[in-house]
């Protein structure tokens, strides 16, 4: 097969006749990358891709060239451009019109001869055709303006409701002062370091949440390398102060938000949001800055300009402590392990817990009167005093039939008692009768017909 006969296929790949297999392969890859339907949205990109695939397979010997690719070395049947007459350099008729009825469309291109596949290869061709159809179906369903191999933007895109108002990417609320906020995440390991910037359209509450999340990721992965130590601290402190606010991005965001407020009929709030946008643009003379200034003048109504309360100025003490909380935990752990608190968890704390448990058990036993004989008050009202004597302060008055427990020795007519609720005091010994107060009350009521 001479080179004149294959000249059309060399021209399809933009290479000189007689090129090596390596040159053919490189040329095909370059053109396939350019005309692949998943990458090129032109209407004829698919046909060009099929043609260059056919030319590549013919030149490397995977497919036989049609006998009508050329009418001989003398150039008969060719036009002034060197192509077969009545045909173009691309498409199923590239091999000449006389072979139009003898060729069929293959899964990778045109120009195949009608021939039966070798035995045992029917399933292989069927699977290849099915895979090609599935690929084409996916390509047609994919958005044509998105590169399929492009990396998707990881940051959250702004979402808007039916009125066009931009919502917070974290909380979903509509704010009169949304911001485009950027936070830093630092990752390090030995000598390597990587800094990631995450940004989103946020309200103040959502910004605090995202800042904490970015700081915690830096705490977990930013201090494992010597190069990332200082950048990690800078990232945490920057996140603690609320991140950074790109001026151009925030001006565009606030202008769009003000436009949505104006469409909804809230002109005063739209003007207030535009004033925030003007703070970002400053003395800039860009087209966006002129649009913002024009909109502010258009919304003037003779009234003083309304300003919404700025919630982005101050950072709360609690928020700052949350950002630095892992540092406090680390300091506490070091003090426990190596400092004055060494042995506290293994020796002192268990001892303290055991002693406190014993004390609580003793108090509970005294409270419920375990292993003690109960007494009840046999007077209508009985003063319980702080000490043994009538001159001491009265704690409270005990009701009749109230159950008490003797907790100490008597001092004359006075005795120390504990009430059922844990109170301790002194009462007159003559007013106490052995027994349970509830049983004594039931007996008295049965005898006196009380309700």
């Amino acid at each position: 097969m001479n080179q004149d006969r294959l000249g059309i296929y060399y021209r399809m790949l933009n290479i000189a006749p007689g090129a090596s297999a390596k040159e053919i392969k490189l040329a095909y890859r370059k053109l396939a990358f350019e005309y692949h339907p998943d990458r090129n949205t032109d209407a004829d990109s698919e046909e060009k891709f099929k043609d260059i695939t056919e030319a590549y397979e013919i030149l490397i010997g995977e497919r036989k060239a049609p006998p009508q690719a050329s009418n001989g070395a003398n150039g008969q049947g060719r036009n002034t451009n060197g192509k077969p007459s009545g045909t173009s350099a691309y498409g199923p008729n590239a091999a000449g019109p006389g072979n139009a009825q003898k060729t069929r469309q293959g899964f990778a291109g045109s120009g195949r001869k009608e021939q039966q596949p070798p035995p045992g290869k029917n399933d292989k061709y069927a699977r290849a055709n099915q895979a090609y159809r599935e690929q084409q179906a996916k390509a047609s369903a994919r958005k044509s303006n998105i590169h399929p191999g492009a990396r998707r933007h990881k940051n959250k895109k702004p979402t808007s409701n039916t009125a066009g108002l931009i919502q917070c990417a974290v909380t979903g609320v509509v704010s009169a002062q949304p911001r485009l906020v950027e936070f830093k995440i630092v990752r390090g390991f030995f000598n390597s370091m990587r800094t990631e910037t995450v940004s989103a359209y946020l309200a103040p509450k959502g910004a605090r949440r995202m800042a904490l999340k970015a700081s915690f990721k830096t705490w977990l992965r930013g201090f494992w390398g010597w190069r990332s130590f200082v950048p990690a601290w800078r990232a945490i402190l920057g996140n603690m102060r609320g991140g950074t606010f790109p001026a151009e991005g925030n001006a565009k965001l606030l202008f769009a938000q003000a436009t949505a407020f104006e469409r909804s009929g809230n002109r005063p709030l739209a003007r207030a949001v535009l004033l925030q946008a003007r703070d970002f643009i400053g003395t800039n003379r860009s087209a966006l800055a002129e649009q913002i200034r024009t909109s502010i003048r258009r919304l003037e109504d003779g009234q003083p300009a309304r300003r919404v309360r700025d919630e982005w100025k101050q950072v709360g003490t609690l928020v700052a402590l949350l950002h630095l909380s892992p540092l406090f935990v680390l300091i506490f752990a070091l003090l426990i392990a190596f400092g004055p608190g060494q042995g506290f968890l293994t020796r002192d704390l268990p001892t303290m817990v055991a002693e406190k448990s014993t004390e609580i058990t003793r108090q509970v036993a005294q409270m419920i009167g375990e292993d003690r004989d109960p007494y009840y008050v046999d007077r209508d009202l009985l003063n319980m005093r702080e000490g043994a004597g009538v001159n001491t302060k009265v704690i409270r008055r005990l009701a009749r039939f109230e159950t008490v427990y003797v907790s100490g020795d008597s001092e004359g007519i006075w005795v120390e008692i504990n009430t059922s609720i844990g109170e301790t005091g002194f009462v007159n010994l003559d007013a106490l009768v052995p027994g349970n107060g509830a049983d004594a009350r039931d007996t008295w009521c049965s005898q006196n017909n009380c309700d």
Side-chain angles (χ1 to χ4, degrees):
M1 186 181 300
N2 54 38
Q3 294 181 3
D4 293 336
R5 182 180 178 186
L6 300 178
I8 185 174
Y9 302 111
Y10 284 108
R11 289 194 297 273
M12 286 183 183
L13 297 181
N14 296 328
I15 55 178
S20 63
K22 183 177 181 180
E23 293 174 341
I24 295 173
K25 188 174 183 180
L26 291 176
Y28 169 69
R29 286 185 176 181
K30 179 180 178 181
L31 293 175
F33 185 85
E34 179 180 356
Y35 291 110
H36 195 284
D38 289 347
R39 301 178 181 274
N40 194 319
T41 58
D42 295 340
D44 59 344
S45 61
E46 183 177 350
E47 291 299 326
K48 290 182 179 179
F49 178 74
K50 294 177 183 178
D51 292 340
I52 62 176
T53 302
E54 177 191 9
Y56 168 72
E57 293 179 352
I58 291 176
L59 291 178
I60 65 174
E62 289 187 1
R63 186 191 303 187
K64 292 183 179 180
Q68 286 79 13
S70 174
N71 289 334
N74 54 4
Q76 296 178 359
R78 294 180 179 270
N79 55 21
T80 57
N81 295 327
K83 300 178 182 179
S85 59
T87 64
S88 63
Y90 298 97
N93 296 325
N99 196 42
Q101 301 298 327
K102 297 182 181 181
T103 59
R104 64 181 178 88
Q105 180 70 32
F107 79 94
S110 63
R112 283 188 173 181
K113 297 174 64 176
E114 287 287 353
Q115 58 182 3
Q116 294 296 329
K121 291 191 177 181
N122 289 316
D123 294 339
K124 176 182 177 181
Y125 291 149
R127 288 194 301 269
N129 280 287
Q130 180 64 21
Y132 178 73
R133 286 192 293 268
E134 292 176 357
Q135 167 65 21
Q136 293 302 104
K138 291 181 181 179
S140 61
R142 187 181 294 118
K143 291 183 178 180
S144 59
N145 60 343
I146 297 180
H147 195 297
R151 182 181 180 184
R152 299 299 188 267
H153 199 277
K154 297 189 295 183
N155 300 330
K156 295 183 178 180
K157 296 182 179 180
T159 57
S160 58
N161 53 21
T162 55
L165 297 169
I166 297 176
Q167 299 174 329
C168 176
V170 176
T171 61
V173 301
V174 175
S175 174
Q177 45 187 336
R179 296 289 187 271
L180 172 62
V181 192
E182 294 181 351
F183 301 103
K184 299 289 186 181
I185 299 176
V186 177
R187 295 179 174 88
F189 190 74
F190 291 110
N191 194 37
S192 63
M193 183 191 70
R194 183 163 63 92
T195 302
E196 177 184 356
T197 301
V198 293
S199 62
Y201 293 91
L202 302 169
K205 187 175 181 180
R208 288 191 290 270
R209 292 184 185 178
M210 181 171 282
L212 283 173
K213 185 177 180 181
S215 292
F216 286 157
K217 287 183 177 180
T218 302
W219 275 112
L220 290 175
R221 304 186 61 181
F223 294 95
W224 298 100
W226 64 271
R227 291 181 57 192
S228 62
F229 187 83
V230 175
W233 270 113
R234 291 177 179 172
I236 292 173
L237 294 177
N239 296 337
M240 184 178 67
R241 290 194 296 266
T244 57
F245 301 84
E248 186 73 14
N250 279 280
K252 290 181 180 179
L253 167 66
L254 292 172
F255 180 73
Q257 192 79 331
T259 303
F261 278 126
E262 184 180 1
R263 290 173 181 171
S264 63
N266 197 339
R267 295 171 63 89
L269 188 56
R271 185 183 178 191
V273 176
L274 285 172
L275 293 176
Q276 297 180 29
R278 188 179 64 182
D279 295 339
F280 279 102
I281 61 175
T283 59
N284 193 349
R285 293 297 179 183
S286 63
L288 175 63
E290 295 301 327
Q291 287 180 339
I292 293 175
R293 295 189 184 96
T294 302
S295 299
I296 292 176
R297 291 192 296 267
R298 179 170 47 81
L299 293 176
E300 288 182 354
D301 52 3
Q303 300 295 329
R306 172 187 173 186
R307 283 274 188 175
V308 295
R309 182 170 60 90
D310 192 357
E311 300 179 2
W312 295 89
K313 288 184 177 180
Q314 301 296 331
V315 55
T317 304
L318 179 60
V319 176
L321 291 177
L322 288 176
H323 282 275
L324 300 177
S325 57
L327 178 62
F328 300 143
V329 174
L330 178 62
I331 294 175
F332 178 76
L334 293 176
L335 290 176
I336 293 298
F338 306 104
Q342 185 177 6
F344 176 78
L345 294 177
T346 58
R347 182 183 64 253
D348 299 338
L349 185 61
T351 303
M352 292 173 56
V353 172
E355 293 177 353
K356 194 65 177 178
S357 300
T358 304
E359 178 66 19
I360 293 174
T361 303
R362 186 183 64 81
Q363 292 179 0
V364 171
Q366 291 180 357
M367 186 181 299
I368 64 177
E370 183 180 357
D371 298 331
R372 291 187 296 174
D373 295 331
Y375 290 80
Y376 66 92
V377 179
D378 195 25
R379 292 183 184 178
D380 289 337
L381 291 174
L382 178 64
N383 290 331
M384 182 175 64
R385 298 179 180 273
E386 292 182 348
V390 294
N391 295 326
T392 57
K393 183 180 178 180
V394 176
I395 299 175
R396 73 178 179 91
R397 292 184 176 183
L398 305 177
R400 190 176 186 182
F401 301 117
E402 184 173 347
T403 302
V404 297
Y405 301 92
V406 176
S407 61
D409 296 334
S410 61
E411 300 179 14
I413 63 173
W414 300 93
V415 65
E416 186 178 6
I417 64 168
N418 290 330
T419 64
S420 58
I421 60 175
E423 297 172 316
T424 300
F426 290 84
V427 298
N428 196 324
L429 181 61
D430 297 338
L432 299 182
V433 177
N436 189 289
D439 297 339
R441 182 175 59 251
D442 293 341
T443 302
W444 186 87
C445 286
S446 63
Q447 293 175 356
N448 294 275
N449 299 322
C450 62
D451 294 335

